[in-house]
Amino acid sequence: MVGAAAKLIFTCASSCEKIVRFKQPPLTCSKLLSSSPFLDSLMNATPSTRQLPDWLATAAACIFVLLAAYRIEFPGLNYDELEFANAAQGAPDNTWIYMRLGSMPFLISPYVGALKAWLYIPVFSLFGVSPLTIRLPVILLAAVTLLIFYRAIRRNLGATWAAITVWIMAVDPANLFPSRLDRGPTVLMHLFQAAILALWFSYRDKPQLWKPILIFLCFVLGCFDKFNFVWLASAFVIGIVFCYPDNVKKLWFSFPRFVPWIAIIVVLTVLVTMLFLVLPYRHLAVTLTTPLRVNWNALLSTLSGATMASFIFESPARIIRVLPGWLIIVDGFLVLACLFLPISDAKARENRKSGIFCLLLGLLIFLQIAITPNAGGPYHPNHYSMIFPFPLLAFAFLAKSLDIQFGAKSPRQAVALLGLLAMCLFLVNLHNTLVYLSHFKRNAHYSPQWSPEIYSLSSYINEHGSEAQRIISVDWGLHDQIHALAPKHLQQRMRELTSIFRRLDKKPQEEQNAALRFVFPKGKSLVITFADSKEFYPETRRNFLGSLANHPELKSRLVKEFWFQGEKVYELYEISRPPGSSS
């Protein structure tokens, strides 16, 4: 289906592009007509034909949903993927609840708001918690985001170019699988990102005060969803001042006098808040700030899809990783060409400005990630995801600018060259996406933190957990999934005690005894841990087993082992403390 749709796009691309060219001056049209008799048959194109790019963009969104939802239960639910789940279920306990407004969860961590949790409340209330109800809503939101991007770029690029760009985005693994898993989270971030671009480009076309007001609202919601959205906010402000100074000046004077000053106060408040969050780590800045080269490699790995493949499958084998770097290099050459070649056409100048604006946004976000302590490196792909899809949009706008200015002299060659580049981007993205899907189809090896065996473990605990006083996760990466999939009466018995077991062997004996009395109350407890060599923190399992050996009053037995594709992934222990025992 994807291959057929791709052929349809590029078969229709030349035809649709030539239709658009009838809006050029008569001399250009006559040259085109004389060089391409096929255009005669398109002169009387029906409205449905002229709407073909819109249908192609919609088809791209549908293909995106089909690809992203393929075997939606794979990989297994991940710990970070479910940070919002407890808040979305009404927060029966304080798992991932940092702040409440009354009884309502407000922040799930110091820098992540409960916006996603609020959106999921009706989903979980109506349909329960499952891989389908967790992942399908964000996939649908990401598909809507694609259509918003299409509307954002359609005016300047033209319908055909915009449709092709959206098709490239629809099969991009850097978009598909972070959206499917929403580890970060990233889906709402991209939704607000697309809305901001669409509103700004619309404001450029037809200035209306409600549009910058909505842009401001999107920034507020984006920062509430996750505070690092402020990277995009600061990059956007710098970008419009640099690329669109006339619009900024008009916008400043179009508001009542007090509004710009309120905006300045808000900006200063955000800057002070950022400093407040960063200053406690200033003494660690040298060690926590990632070198620029490491940030660059992490960016390219994220945009190619290799980072997520490493997380999920523990290997990025067969992923083509060179394309994002070459795309950014090509963007750089296109910027130089657009700046130093004479651009007289107003439409071409507008696309040049839009391309430089998108590239500048990506660059400024990257620099902010690089200088923010503990924000960069290979373990933070969700941060680099904010740069998507700016390199691709910059390429589309800059290439369109050159095509408008110089393509009329050799339209066939220009369309062929740009079509070849677009096809290259599409095919590499499609190849990398198919690598992911082949893993899901074959049930290949998964990282322990993403193992589908988590569903078997959850089902067993839900069936037998009522017999235990506590259900304890010893290592990081287990609690959130078990907690989210459990009935409410079991959720209140679940504890994640990774921090205790990581440091247990470093404590004096008296403190160890007190910690174990807290961890294992009188009665029966179930303990979940990763199998040997599968741990996230190896010391947690070692200290847990060591505490059992050193405290004979704790009666233990291995209840069940959980295997996937011939590999032992989890172990479930039963720990009993008799009523009269003491340490």
Side-chain angles (χ1 to χ4, degrees), residues 177-229:
F177 299 104
S179 299
R180 172 189 179 115
L181 307 174
D182 202 23
R183 178 187 180 274
T186 60
V187 168
L188 287 176
M189 174 185 76
H190 282 137
L191 178 67
F192 295 131
Q193 179 190 55
I196 288 165
L197 282 183
L199 287 165
W200 176 251
F201 289 146
S202 176
Y203 178 81
R204 288 271 300 160
D205 183 34
K206 186 177 180 181
Q208 293 174 306
L209 285 181
W210 61 267
K211 295 175 184 177
I213 292 174
L214 283 183
I215 289 174
F216 177 76
L217 180 61
C218 287
F219 277 123
V220 170
L221 291 174
C223 290
F224 175 64
D225 177 54
K226 195 169 185 181
F227 189 70
N228 64 359
F229 199 75

Side-chain angles (χ1 to χ4, degrees), residues 101-121:
L101 291 180
S103 61
M104 182 177 69
F106 184 70
L107 296 177
I108 64 175
S109 79
Y111 55 91
V112 179
L115 180 60
K116 180 179 177 181
W118 296 345
L119 296 176
Y120 267 80
I121 290 174

